[in-house]
Amino acid sequence: MTGPNADYTASELLTVSASRLLADGTVVFAGVGTPLLASALARATHAPGLTVVIEGGSIGLEVAPGNLPISTNEMRGARRAVALPSITQIFLYAQRGFFDYGFLGGAQIDPYGNINTSIIGAVERPRVRLPGSGGACDIACLCREILIVTRHERRRFVERLDFVTSPGQIDGGRGRRGAGLLFGRVTAVLTDLALMDFGGASGRMRVAALQPGAEPSQVKEQTGFDLEIASDARRLEPPTEGELRTLRGLDPSRVFL
Amino acid sequence: MTGPNADYTASELLTVSASRLLADGTVVFAGVGTPLLASALARATHAPGLTVVIEGGSIGLEVAPGNLPISTNEMRGARRAVALPSITQIFLYAQRGFFDYGFLGGAQIDPYGNINTSIIGAVERPRVRLPGSGGACDIACLCREILIVTRHERRRFVERLDFVTSPGQIDGGRGRRGAGLLFGRVTAVLTDLALMDFGGASGRMRVAALQPGAEPSQVKEQTGFDLEIASDARRLEPPTEGELRTLRGLDPSRVFL
Amino acid sequence: MPERSAITFVEARRRLEAKNKAPRDKRMPLAEAAALVRDGDHIAIGGCLYSRTPTLLLREVLRQRRRDVVLSRSLLCYEGELFLAAGACSEIVTSWVGIGLPWGLSRIVREFVEGGNARFEEWSHLAIGMRYHAAAMGVPFLPTLSMLGSDLRRTTGAKTMTCPFTGEQVCLVPALHPHVALIHVHRADPFGNAQIEGYPHMDADIAAAAQTVVLSAEEIVDPDEIRRTADRTVIPFFAVDAVVHAPFGAYPHEMYGLYDVDLDHIDAYAKRVAAEGVAGARAYLDEWVYGPETTDAYFGKFGVDRLERQRRAARDLIGRRT
Amino acid sequence: MPERSAITFVEARRRLEAKNKAPRDKRMPLAEAAALVRDGDHIAIGGCLYSRTPTLLLREVLRQRRRDVVLSRSLLCYEGELFLAAGACSEIVTSWVGIGLPWGLSRIVREFVEGGNARFEEWSHLAIGMRYHAAAMGVPFLPTLSMLGSDLRRTTGAKTMTCPFTGEQVCLVPALHPHVALIHVHRADPFGNAQIEGYPHMDADIAAAAQTVVLSAEEIVDPDEIRRTADRTVIPFFAVDAVVHAPFGAYPHEMYGLYDVDLDHIDAYAKRVAAEGVAGARAYLDEWVYGPETTDAYFGKFGVDRLERQRRAARDLIGRRT
């Protein structure tokens, strides 16, 4: 996936570029895995004033390098937290508007950033029963900026979802407003190949920037729907030595990397 | 108000007979003053398993004799409490149905047990602006049994209210149901002259029992509306020595007696 | 919203999104924090009646001669009378106003409301709580079974609806987003993470509901102390805009476990107002609010012995906690 | 309610009104407490995923061979797999099911749901919380901005309405009143006053929402200790029906500050199920649930050293709480 001479893995690239999406002095609602690693990396690099929140009920946690939480509800996720409200309260803070960013992944993502983590096939008799929303649907409905971060695979980026678990831009345009979603929008879809947004006229997903070593043809080929490349598409900077060192220090045994 | 030879005051009589309305093993939502004294007296006499709750956010309090709370939100009301939830949570417990009894008083009470503690005169330009509902309207809407306890005065018991702060039986019959109140009803209106209920055919307040020394004529004369006396009206027992001793011990300086 | 000047649901969310949520040192002098209150603001007051009242903050708001504010509180104590008498307030939103049973009706509230010079918007106690809770939850309304069959439903503009799941009738109350919440707590760190002991009252919801939150705290602690007891934190820093170190910040009202209510002081005030009405409240303002230029001067009038007596009284009432 | 067998709003209130609310000693043996669960009951499980799970209570419910229960939980861990494999459960109500990222999809839930042998009713995480919260509040529904634009709204039967105050659209979710709540806490007195450290999860709402509440506690304390720290009580006794003294009652799941999750044990279970599917879960049931006749026998299989190791791990993670 990455350039031949790249000295980092695809998930390292993904995590580092995700961390760069997070501005200092903001609040990020992060799940475990890549989102939490990206958030911890951001805190350790350009965003020391970033506050991390996880859905189990932890505000301001500071993960211990090499001892990352595996679930959002466990003691490792409460490390150095400033508050431990109920799970319901955490989501109500999101609904109130306290959280700037929400990270999402997904088994299926459509051209408008809608996500399916529930069902492949029919609702009443699914072909594949996926784990479900968890907090994903809530994050998609309630956070100010929704950041979709995932590996770039053709089977994942599909023209039509079997089931919309987490609303993205719905059908583009005023889709969210029409559904009653007054707040929030998908501001970035980040993969190991590209950074995509919805800035085009069509309201569909389009490539705003390419990851180092990724070619437009490769991105299109790994996408299950017709994907526009912005004429002014940039090229993202590769991870720095410092970023990689810090990241690897956070997850030395590569539980999530 | 009480019999010529009575060796107790009207408010002592009222408090003692109020305490007898409380069954053991129940939960009472009490305001400060007579309700709290009656509840504490019940705990000290026939209902040791009575749990007292006050709206400031105290569950299971045990008042200190001679050091009674003056407000429902102060430290004296938290004495030996088992839980101190938020004010909102206390009322939500009431709404859920945890509280068996709710005590109410009132500046104006009509023949159906509806209560006014808000406004005498017109809403936009009141002649007398009373303190307001506090938790009274909530107690009237949410508790299982509403106990109205007050001095018996003609100006208080009126045919028509200027304002309904706390709904009683509304217009009798299915009045509460019609208003959407699925639960709770006024089971007793207790004064220093009589115990009244709504057991008659008319659904209006009627005398179910007379306080010691009180005569039907006296009760009618002190009531501002036509008050029926049940044919089987009983005579309430006077306070016992023990009840009076305990009660006076609770409020030796007679702050509320 | 029925009352004047609270913030609408959508606007409240937009303003919150625009706020700086960086954890930063928010400590500031009392005067600077109180200056975050502007003329015409809807102020939600923490604590309840004479418990955990942000007395020093309210005193400073009065000293800065704010005008035309709306005060909301679950139960409003005599701070309401002071704001009315000072000409600082023209509307109160509460479920009950007064000091307590022994003191009877508020003569000043009666004068202003009956004279048509102030508006008293009355909700049931739970309804006030539900309005703050709705705002804190980020929803435009909440349902309750209270106020059904009460004239309060009509006068407040609360609505009724039929539950689409059960067919039962419920009462709907609108979210209340104050411009400013003034809250006094036991403990806060410089970022605004706050902990309360004893009765939580409605403060956590008020803090999440308001656009601007001003905290005063008996004690400012190191963030590490908060992190060690994170499960006691009831207000997270990102909801807070200002932190003021204010020992005895609720006095003469009570602070759970720390000092008892000064009933002698309150009783003297009440007697004065019972006798002189608004003039009595204005005399109190001159003597206790406008007069003492500093917090020290204010507490000096009570005297150290009296404050110590009230501390001991609180210890006797609550005792050692484990 | 969309899911089978939860209690309706009005019925839930009636049943609660009829309950004995006397403060009495509710301590009883594990088996007796678990027997309060009946076939066909909707069981709400406290804690979340592998944190503060009422493991011993669930184990006993399985040992008593309950049938046809519905399980609801905010995030359902492998206890859901065990109930399905045991033939005890035909429906789960949750927002997510699995053990965690490293273990991938639940093979057993897939087999049962894809095979049409179990129903998986999925709500968003907040929606599950709002359903318990509505029931705890004693209202038939609550509004939320979540699930708007999601197919979950359609499949769950949640409704939408226009806010009568703002004209904005909101999603309404129905109250969820479980028949039984199984909750494990740090500390409870014999009456059922309960305190939790660390994450409160959704347990307080579940306790107020359910018709019957069964508590297990790491420690049974004297009521006076509760009274000294009343502001830490999250579940009041009048909501509780049974209290079981159960040290390590969540093991192999974690208990905040007391013992760490036993990932080795969980990983071994997961590997077995990944390889053998339902047969693997049944083998686990035989070895760890049906096999050990007593709690001692169950913990004997882990061994004292292992339990002590997990205690130390928790202390290292949380440290001393001043």
Side-chain angles (χ1 to χ4, degrees):
Chain A
M1 291 274 177
T2 57
N5 309 326
D7 52 3
Y8 46 81
T9 67
S11 72
E12 285 174 340
L13 173 67
L14 190 57
T15 310
V16 168
S17 17
S19 76
R20 295 173 180 172
L21 296 175
L22 304 170
D24 196 10
T26 60
V27 181
V28 59
F29 198 167
V32 292
T34 305
L36 191 52
L37 273 171
S39 304
L41 178 59
R43 281 180 48 82
T45 54
H46 66 282
L50 174 71
T51 297
V52 183
V53 173
I54 57 176
E55 93 187 63
S58 180
I59 297 172
L61 62 139
E62 298 175 1
V63 297
N67 199 12
L68 304 170
I70 296 169
S71 92
T72 58
N73 323 279
E74 61 162 272
M75 284 184 273
R76 285 162 189 79
R79 183 171 180 274
R80 290 185 54 76
V82 295
L84 297 172
S86 73
I87 292 169
T88 303
Q89 181 60 64
I90 278 287
F91 283 108
L92 293 178
Y93 284 137
Q95 187 166 263
R96 174 68 176 94
F98 283 112
F99 304 156
D100 297 291
Y101 304 107
F103 274 115
L104 294 178
Q108 286 187 330
I109 303 163
D110 77 8
Y112 298 102
N114 304 303
I115 294 175
N116 176 15
T117 51
S118 299
I119 284 164
I120 308 288
V123 171
E124 277 326 307
R125 192 66 182 270
R127 195 165 74 259
V128 181
R129 177 63 239 201
L130 299 164
S133 162
C137 170
D138 307 308
I139 287 169
C141 292
L142 306 176
C143 290
R144 183 167 65 82
E145 290 193 30
I146 301 143
L147 310 176
I148 301 174
V149 174
T150 183
R151 296 296 293 272
H152 208 126
E153 299 161 319
R154 188 176 181 83
R155 60 171 181 81
R156 201 182 288 275
F157 288 89
V158 298
E159 179 64 40
R160 183 162 274 83
L161 302 181
D162 293 2
F163 189 93
V164 177
T165 308
S166 307
Q169 299 300 90
I170 313 278
D171 59 0
R174 295 179 33 79
R176 284 180 70 92
R177 192 72 187 76
L181 294 168
L182 303 173
F183 315 113
R185 62 195 180 88
V186 184
T187 53
V189 180
L190 180 70
T191 72
D192 48 327
L193 295 184
L195 173 64
M196 292 158 284
D197 65 16
F198 302 88
S202 67
R204 282 170 63 99
M205 198 183 298
R206 58 160 204 183
V207 174
L210 290 162
Q211 289 283 18
E215 293 313 317
S217 59
Q218 181 188 12
V219 179
K220 284 173 169 293
E221 164 201 314
Q222 290 298 326
T223 305
F225 52 78
D226 182 37
L227 180 67
E228 178 195 347
I229 313 258
S231 53
D232 59 350
R234 297 170 292 116
R235 175 69 70 177
L236 297 175
E237 290 300 317
T240 67
E241 273 315 312
E243 287 170 322
L244 288 170
R245 199 179 319 108
T246 306
L247 176 59
R248 289 163 184 165
L250 286 167
D251 189 13
S253 43
R254 298 189 161 276
V255 178
F256 298 105
L257 280 176
Chain B
M1 290 274 175
T2 57
N5 309 326
D7 52 2
Y8 46 81
T9 68
S11 73
E12 285 173 339
L13 173 66
L14 189 58
T15 310
V16 168
S17 19
S19 76
R20 295 173 180 173
L21 297 175
L22 304 171
D24 196 10
T26 59
V27 181
V28 59
F29 197 167
V32 292
T34 304
L36 191 53
L37 273 171
S39 304
L41 177 59
R43 280 180 49 81
T45 53
H46 65 283
L50 174 70
T51 297
V52 184
V53 173
I54 57 176
E55 86 187 67
S58 181
I59 296 172
L61 62 140
E62 298 175 1
V63 297
N67 199 11
L68 303 170
I70 296 169
S71 92
T72 57
N73 323 278
E74 61 162 273
M75 283 184 273
R76 286 163 189 78
R79 183 172 180 274
R80 291 185 53 75
V82 296
L84 298 172
S86 74
I87 292 169
T88 302
Q89 181 61 64
I90 278 286
F91 283 108
L92 293 178
Y93 283 137
Q95 186 166 263
R96 174 68 176 95
F98 283 112
F99 303 156
D100 297 291
Y101 304 107
F103 275 115
L104 293 178
Q108 286 187 329
I109 302 164
D110 78 8
Y112 298 102
N114 304 302
I115 294 174
N116 176 16
T117 52
S118 299
I119 284 164
I120 308 287
V123 171
E124 277 325 308
R125 191 66 183 270
R127 197 165 70 258
V128 182
R129 176 64 238 200
L130 300 163
S133 163
C137 171
D138 307 306
I139 287 169
C141 293
L142 305 176
C143 290
R144 183 167 65 82
E145 290 192 29
I146 301 143
L147 311 176
I148 301 174
V149 175
T150 183
R151 297 295 294 272
H152 208 126
E153 299 163 318
R154 188 175 182 84
R155 60 171 181 79
R156 201 183 286 276
F157 287 88
V158 299
E159 179 63 41
R160 182 161 274 85
L161 302 181
D162 293 2
F163 189 93
V164 177
T165 308
S166 307
Q169 300 299 91
I170 314 279
D171 58 1
R174 294 179 33 78
R176 284 180 71 90
R177 192 73 187 76
L181 294 169
L182 302 173
F183 315 114
R185 62 195 179 87
V186 184
T187 53
V189 180
L190 180 70
T191 73
D192 48 326
L193 295 184
L195 173 64
M196 292 158 283
D197 64 16
F198 301 89
S202 67
R204 281 170 63 101
M205 196 183 299
R206 58 160 204 181
V207 174
L210 290 162
Q211 288 283 18
E215 292 314 316
S217 59
Q218 180 189 12
V219 179
K220 285 173 168 293
E221 164 200 314
Q222 290 299 324
T223 305
F225 52 77
D226 184 35
L227 180 67
E228 179 196 347
I229 313 257
S231 52
D232 59 350
R234 298 171 291 116
R235 174 70 68 176
L236 297 176
E237 290 300 317
T240 67
E241 275 312 313
E243 286 171 322
L244 288 170
R245 199 179 318 106
T246 306
L247 176 58
R248 290 162 183 165
L250 286 167
D251 189 13
S253 44
R254 301 189 158 274
V255 178
F256 298 105
L257 280 176
Chain C
M1 303 297 170
E3 69 282 326
R4 177 174 52 73
S5 90
I7 305 167
T8 66
F9 166 67
V10 173
E11 181 63 13
R13 160 90 187 210
R14 299 259 178 250
R15 293 190 191 186
L16 184 58
E17 283 186 356
K19 272 175 76 163
N20 170 6
K21 303 183 188 74
R24 58 192 195 284
D25 188 341
K26 297 165 186 166
R27 285 173 294 179
M28 58 181 76
L30 184 62
E32 195 182 321
L36 293 172
V37 177
R38 302 249 172 273
D39 290 346
D41 277 356
H42 180 121
I43 304 173
I45 304 170
C48 187
L49 204 61
Y50 57 70
S51 301
R52 223 162 30 70
T53 306
T55 304
L56 286 187
L57 285 169
L58 290 166
R59 176 179 178 272
E60 187 58 30
V61 170
L62 284 166
R63 288 178 56 79
Q64 294 183 12
R65 308 287 179 156
R66 293 276 72 82
R67 285 284 175 273
D68 208 25
V69 303
V70 175
L71 295 182
S72 72
R73 199 179 191 195
S74 70
L75 304 178
L76 192 66
C77 200
Y78 62 84
E79 65 276 0
E81 298 183 344
L82 296 180
F83 271 72
L84 288 170
C89 169
S90 53
E91 178 172 2
I92 58 176
V93 179
T94 186
S95 72
W96 189 89
V97 63
I99 299 173
L101 229 46
W103 295 279
L105 297 187
S106 163
R107 176 170 164 185
I108 291 175
V109 171
R110 284 197 58 186
E111 267 185 53
F112 274 82
V113 175
E114 294 165 17
N117 298 314
R119 183 158 178 267
F120 177 170
E121 183 177 296
E122 179 185 346
W123 296 76
S124 81
H125 207 169
L126 175 56
I128 292 273
M130 285 295 94
R131 296 195 61 199
Y132 290 136
H133 193 45
M137 291 170 70
V139 288
F141 68 85
L142 278 176
T144 175
L145 305 187
S146 191
M147 297 211 306
L148 293 167
S150 165
D151 285 337
L152 290 173
R153 198 186 56 64
R154 188 169 41 75
T155 54
T156 55
K159 315 276 188 190
T160 58
M161 76 173 273
T162 301
C163 170
F165 301 103
T166 65
E168 299 299 349
Q169 198 177 161
V170 295
C171 174
L172 304 184
V173 300
L176 171 50
H177 290 281
H179 292 94
V180 185
L182 303 180
I183 295 171
H184 186 61
V185 301
H186 288 73
R187 200 175 305 111
D189 69 15
F191 305 131
N193 295 297
Q195 302 183 339
I196 290 171
E197 300 201 341
Y199 298 106
H201 300 311
M202 296 184 181
D203 296 51
D205 278 340
I206 290 171
Q211 176 192 347
T212 300
V213 175
V214 178
L215 286 188
S216 59
E218 291 288 324
E219 189 188 8
I220 305 294
V221 299
D222 187 282
D224 284 345
E225 184 173 333
I226 295 290
R227 294 181 187 279
R228 269 194 302 276
T229 56
D231 55 5
R232 302 302 320 274
T233 302
V234 292
I235 300 173
F237 75 93
F238 50 57
V240 174
D241 298 273
V243 177
V244 178
H245 183 211
F248 282 98
Y251 201 87
H253 291 194
E254 76 160 33
M255 194 67 180
Y256 191 93
L258 296 182
Y259 44 90
D260 194 10
V261 56
D262 188 336
L263 289 177
D264 300 341
H265 181 85
I266 291 178
D267 197 52
Y269 163 83
K271 284 200 172 66
R272 198 174 200 172
V273 168
E276 307 159 37
V278 174
R282 296 206 170 119
Y284 180 91
L285 284 165
D286 289 333
E287 182 179 350
W288 292 94
V289 176
Y290 305 140
E293 291 293 332
T294 65
T295 302
D296 287 354
Y298 170 72
F299 286 120
K301 286 174 61 63
F302 289 100
V304 175
D305 296 352
R306 188 160 178 167
L307 300 182
E308 263 320 304
R309 184 192 69 191
Q310 298 308 95
R311 268 204 185 286
R312 281 193 305 276
R315 259 186 245 105
D316 295 345
L317 283 168
I318 301 305
R320 277 265 129 276
R321 290 167 56 86
T322 61
Chain D
M1 305 297 171
E3 68 282 327
R4 177 173 54 72
S5 90
I7 306 167
T8 66
F9 167 67
V10 173
E11 181 62 14
R13 160 91 188 211
R14 298 259 178 250
R15 294 190 190 185
L16 184 57
E17 283 186 355
K19 273 174 77 162
N20 170 5
K21 302 184 189 72
R24 59 192 195 284
D25 189 340
K26 296 164 187 167
R27 286 172 294 179
M28 58 181 77
L30 184 62
E32 194 181 326
L36 293 173
V37 177
R38 302 247 171 278
D39 290 346
D41 276 357
H42 180 121
I43 304 172
I45 304 171
C48 187
L49 205 61
Y50 57 70
S51 302
R52 222 161 32 69
T53 306
T55 304
L56 286 187
L57 285 170
L58 290 166
R59 176 178 178 272
E60 187 58 30
V61 170
L62 284 167
R63 287 178 55 78
Q64 294 182 11
R65 309 287 177 154
R66 293 275 73 83
R67 285 285 176 273
D68 207 26
V69 302
V70 175
L71 296 181
S72 72
R73 200 179 190 195
S74 70
L75 303 178
L76 191 67
C77 201
Y78 62 85
E79 64 277 0
E81 298 183 344
L82 296 180
F83 270 72
L84 288 170
C89 168
S90 54
E91 178 172 1
I92 57 176
V93 179
T94 186
S95 72
W96 189 89
V97 62
I99 300 173
L101 230 45
W103 295 280
L105 297 187
S106 164
R107 176 171 163 183
I108 291 175
V109 170
R110 283 197 59 188
E111 268 186 51
F112 274 83
V113 175
E114 293 166 16
N117 299 313
R119 183 159 178 267
F120 178 170
E121 182 177 298
E122 179 185 347
W123 296 75
S124 81
H125 207 169
L126 175 56
I128 292 274
M130 285 295 93
R131 295 195 61 200
Y132 290 136
H133 193 44
M137 290 170 71
V139 288
F141 68 86
L142 278 177
T144 175
L145 304 187
S146 191
M147 299 211 306
L148 293 167
S150 165
D151 285 337
L152 291 173
R153 197 186 58 63
R154 188 170 40 74
T155 54
T156 55
K159 315 276 188 190
T160 58
M161 74 173 275
T162 302
C163 169
F165 301 103
T166 65
E168 299 299 347
Q169 199 177 159
V170 295
C171 174
L172 305 184
V173 300
L176 171 50
H177 289 282
H179 291 94
V180 185
L182 303 180
I183 295 171
H184 187 61
V185 300
H186 288 73
R187 198 174 307 110
D189 69 14
F191 305 132
N193 293 297
Q195 303 184 338
I196 291 171
E197 300 201 341
Y199 298 105
H201 300 310
M202 296 183 181
D203 296 50
D205 279 340
I206 290 171
Q211 176 192 346
T212 300
V213 176
V214 178
L215 285 188
S216 59
E218 291 288 324
E219 189 187 8
I220 305 294
V221 299
D222 186 281
D224 283 345
E225 184 173 333
I226 295 291
R227 293 180 188 279
R228 268 195 302 275
T229 57
D231 55 3
R232 302 301 322 273
T233 302
V234 292
I235 300 174
F237 76 93
F238 51 56
V240 175
D241 298 272
V243 177
V244 178
H245 183 212
F248 282 98
Y251 202 86
H253 291 194
E254 75 160 34
M255 193 67 181
Y256 191 93
L258 296 182
Y259 44 90
D260 193 10
V261 56
D262 188 335
L263 288 177
D264 300 342
H265 181 86
I266 291 178
D267 197 51
Y269 163 82
K271 284 199 171 66
R272 197 173 199 173
V273 169
E276 309 159 38
V278 173
R282 297 206 170 117
Y284 181 91
L285 284 165
D286 289 333
E287 179 178 353
W288 293 95
V289 176
Y290 305 139
E293 292 293 332
T294 65
T295 302
D296 287 353
Y298 170 72
F299 286 120
K301 286 175 60 63
F302 289 100
V304 175
D305 295 353
R306 188 159 178 167
L307 300 182
E308 263 319 305
R309 183 192 69 191
Q310 298 307 95
R311 268 206 186 284
R312 280 194 304 276
R315 257 186 247 107
D316 296 345
L317 282 168
I318 301 305
R320 274 265 129 276
R321 291 165 56 85
T322 56

